[in-house]
Amino acid sequence: MLNATAFLLAGSNVCEYQKFIDLLRTNIVQINTYSDSDALLSSINSFSLKNTKNPSTAVIFIEYTLFRDISSDIKVLLEKLDCILVLFGSNDLELNTDLDIVFEYINTKHFNSAFFINKLKREIDSKSEISFLRNEAKEFYEIGKSLSSEKDTVKLLDMIVTSSLKLTSSDAATIYLVIDKDTYNWTSIKNNDYRYKSLKFVIAKNLSMDINLETFISPITKESIFGYTVITGETVRVDDAYNLSPELDYRHNNSFDLHTGYVTKSILATPIKDHQGSTLGVIQLINKRKFPDEKIDYKSEDALSKITSYDYKDELIMNSLAGHAAVALENNHLYREMKNLLDGYKRQNSELEALSKKILIAHEEERKRIAREIHDGPAQSVVNLSLRVELAKKLLQNSMYDKC
């Protein structure tokens, strides 16, 4: 089946094209048929508005005799919506050069259906890949822009988790960070030394289940998939979590599945490393969806059939996103160190300022004491001498020479 949304416009003689329409219904996931051009244009417009966040490929099939009346409207739509235009009719036709926007013209009376479907599939795949790359570039641009403006590291990590889900079509994602056992501050594992370190579950998102998970702290051990990733610094890709080789060091912890009814199948765990190669944490993705826009009902019998394995392209995407996460964490670490340094300077400045005030007060008191001594010492001596002279005068006047 071709993973695309199709719109088909045919006139009143639709029975003439029934075989062609049946072929399309057999090979395309979703096809909408119209006999009115206004209804077709309105439907395509609505699709383009809804398709902005998660763009998917659209294929427009129009009967040639009807196309001429709406060609200008279709051209405008094609500028907004990156889609594939196919014209069809019951006669052979040479397309004019001004119809270069047309992917193919099909004479429904005689054409090679297998060749056409294969050609259409290649074009859909090509369009989807281009759309994905464009969306990927936009996601990385937004994250890069936020790294320079957003100071809240948790918000940045949340954005990275959201982008991880979108770019890999994952159903769930979790970030675990390495913390110090004593201070609980974010830290890293250097030289494979994870003593006195733990893993803290920080952010989790699940697109199929509305679950609020509380943060928890987990020991670092090779027995868990995310623990193994943190210790070894290697990406771990699991196709079937419940069918792991007994020779592997790690196992899938199914406690969450048993508690919620969730079913974990495919897993991709990517280490978050700084520029020195030290491991800061891990981003773990769960259940890559075959159909990105479709939620998985884990109560249904066909739930696992809607899950596929992660591939090398997903690893490349996650390595890049993990690099952005590492930058965010390193920036947080540098900010914390700078803040501690500035706080230390502030404390030192406060202590120096208090000491300076004490010195100034002591200096002022000493200056006043010296001034008093300088002023009061000679004055007191003169007064004492003056009193003695007066006393001597009185004694002489009274002929009391023996007391002088």
Side-chain angles (χ1 to χ4, degrees):
M1 294 289 285
L2 303 182
N3 189 18
T5 301
F7 303 88
L8 184 141
L9 175 66
S12 57
N13 55 342
V14 65
C15 294
E16 186 178 356
Y17 305 115
Q18 194 60 51
K19 185 178 178 182
F20 177 63
I21 295 173
D22 290 341
L23 172 72
L24 298 179
R25 291 187 192 277
T26 305
N27 289 276
I28 297 178
V29 172
Q30 181 180 353
I31 183 166
N32 308 288
T33 57
Y34 304 89
S35 58
D36 179 71
S37 58
D38 289 336
L40 170 77
L41 294 172
S42 176
S43 182
I44 297 174
N45 267 315
S46 299
F47 174 80
S48 65
L49 293 174
K50 295 177 182 178
N51 203 43
T52 53
K53 291 186 177 180
N54 298 300
S56 59
T57 304
V59 186
I60 304 174
F61 298 91
I62 301 178
E63 184 181 348
Y64 179 72
T65 55
L66 301 176
F67 174 72
R68 288 173 294 183
D69 295 331
I70 59 172
S71 59
S72 57
D73 295 313
I74 292 295
K75 287 180 180 179
V76 172
L77 277 174
L78 292 180
E79 291 176 359
K80 297 190 297 182
L81 186 64
D82 190 14
C83 59
I84 302 167
L85 176 62
V86 177
L87 301 183
F88 63 91
S90 56
N91 301 308
D92 288 332
L93 180 69
E94 281 288 335
L95 293 176
N96 299 327
T97 55
D98 61 339
L99 293 179
D100 55 351
I101 60 172
V102 178
F103 168 69
E104 189 81 12
Y105 173 79
I106 298 295
N107 182 344
T108 58
K109 288 187 176 179
H110 54 84
F111 72 102
N112 188 325
S113 59
F115 176 80
F116 168 67
I117 293 298
N118 285 331
K119 184 178 180 180
L120 183 60
K121 181 181 184 305
R122 288 194 297 271
E123 185 68 11
I124 290 173
D125 291 343
S126 176
K127 291 278 187 182
S128 298
E129 184 67 20
I130 292 171
S131 177
F132 174 81
L133 292 173
R134 188 184 296 118
N135 192 40
E136 181 182 12
K138 183 180 178 182
E139 288 290 326
F140 283 123
Y141 169 75
E142 291 297 329
I143 293 173
K145 186 172 67 173
S146 298
L147 281 173
S148 60
S149 59
E150 180 60 67
K151 299 298 184 290
D152 189 331
T153 306
V154 175
K155 284 185 179 180
L156 279 171
L157 295 177
D158 187 90
M159 181 185 298
I160 290 169
V161 167
T162 301
S163 297
S164 300
L165 292 169
K166 186 183 298 184
L167 295 176
T168 63
S169 301
S170 295
D171 191 50
T174 309
I175 285 186
Y176 300 88
L177 297 180
V178 179
I179 63 170
D180 186 278
K181 281 185 177 179
D182 296 325
T183 64
Y184 293 94
N185 288 330
W186 295 340
T187 183
S188 62
I189 295 176
K190 300 177 182 178
N191 302 321
N192 204 33
D193 184 8
Y194 52 92
R195 295 174 300 170
Y196 315 115
K197 308 287 175 63
S198 298
L199 277 175
K200 184 178 182 180
F201 158 83
V202 179
I203 295 173
K205 290 193 176 184
N206 191 309
L207 300 181
S208 292
M209 286 189 171
D210 186 13
I211 301 173
N212 292 322
L213 297 175
E214 296 182 359
T215 60
F216 64 88
I217 295 174
S218 171
I220 299 177
T221 169
K222 283 188 175 181
E223 293 180 3
S224 66
I225 294 173
F226 55 83
Y228 182 90
T229 301
V230 167
I231 292 172
T232 62
E234 300 174 358
T235 295
V236 174
R237 200 166 76 197
V238 174
D239 295 333
D240 189 347
Y242 286 93
N243 192 25
L244 293 172
S245 169
E247 297 177 359
L248 295 172
D249 293 328
Y250 51 82
R251 295 287 178 271
H252 168 56
N253 185 340
N254 65 348
S255 58
F256 175 79
D257 292 2
L258 293 174
H259 179 68
T260 61
Y262 196 78
V263 182
T264 301
K265 187 177 182 184
S266 57
I267 299 174
L268 179 63
T270 307
I272 302 171
K273 295 183 178 181
D274 63 17
H275 66 286
Q276 295 178 333
S278 300
T279 305
L280 305 168
V282 59
I283 306 175
Q284 182 169 276
L285 304 180
I286 297 175
N287 290 354
K288 180 179 176 68
R289 293 177 292 175
K290 287 183 180 178
F291 308 107
D293 298 328
E294 184 179 336
K295 286 187 177 181
I296 300 173
D297 181 7
Y298 289 94
K299 295 179 181 178
S300 66
E301 295 181 356
D302 64 340
L304 294 181
S305 66
K306 298 179 180 179
I307 301 170
T308 188
S309 300
Y310 290 97
D311 53 29
Y312 182 64
K313 184 174 71 173
D314 296 320
E315 286 191 31
L316 294 178
I317 291 171
M318 290 312 302
N319 285 336
S320 181
L321 288 173
H324 283 297
V327 171
L329 291 170
E330 285 187 284
N331 287 345
N332 176 271
H333 180 67
L334 289 172
Y335 174 77
R336 193 168 65 238
E337 285 189 340
M338 290 283 290
K339 187 176 183 302
N340 291 337
L341 188 62
L342 289 173
D343 289 342
Y345 283 146
K346 287 179 181 179
R347 285 194 300 271
Q348 288 180 358
N349 287 337
S350 298
E351 291 172 359
L352 288 173
E353 187 176 351
L355 183 60
S356 297
K357 287 181 179 179
K358 288 180 180 179
I359 292 173
L360 288 173
I361 292 172
H363 181 270
E364 181 65 18
E365 290 178 351
E366 182 66 13
R367 186 190 66 78
K368 289 179 180 179
R369 185 188 65 78
I370 293 172
R372 283 197 303 271
E373 288 185 357
I374 293 173
H375 177 269
D376 296 345
Q380 189 66 36
S381 298
V382 170
V383 170
N384 289 338
L385 181 59
S386 176
L387 289 173
R388 288 182 180 182
V389 170
E390 288 298 323
L391 180 59
K393 283 183 180 180
K394 288 183 179 180
L395 291 172
L396 289 172
Q397 288 175 358
N398 295 325
S399 301
M400 300 173 68
Y401 303 107
D402 55 333
K403 294 183 179 181
C404 291

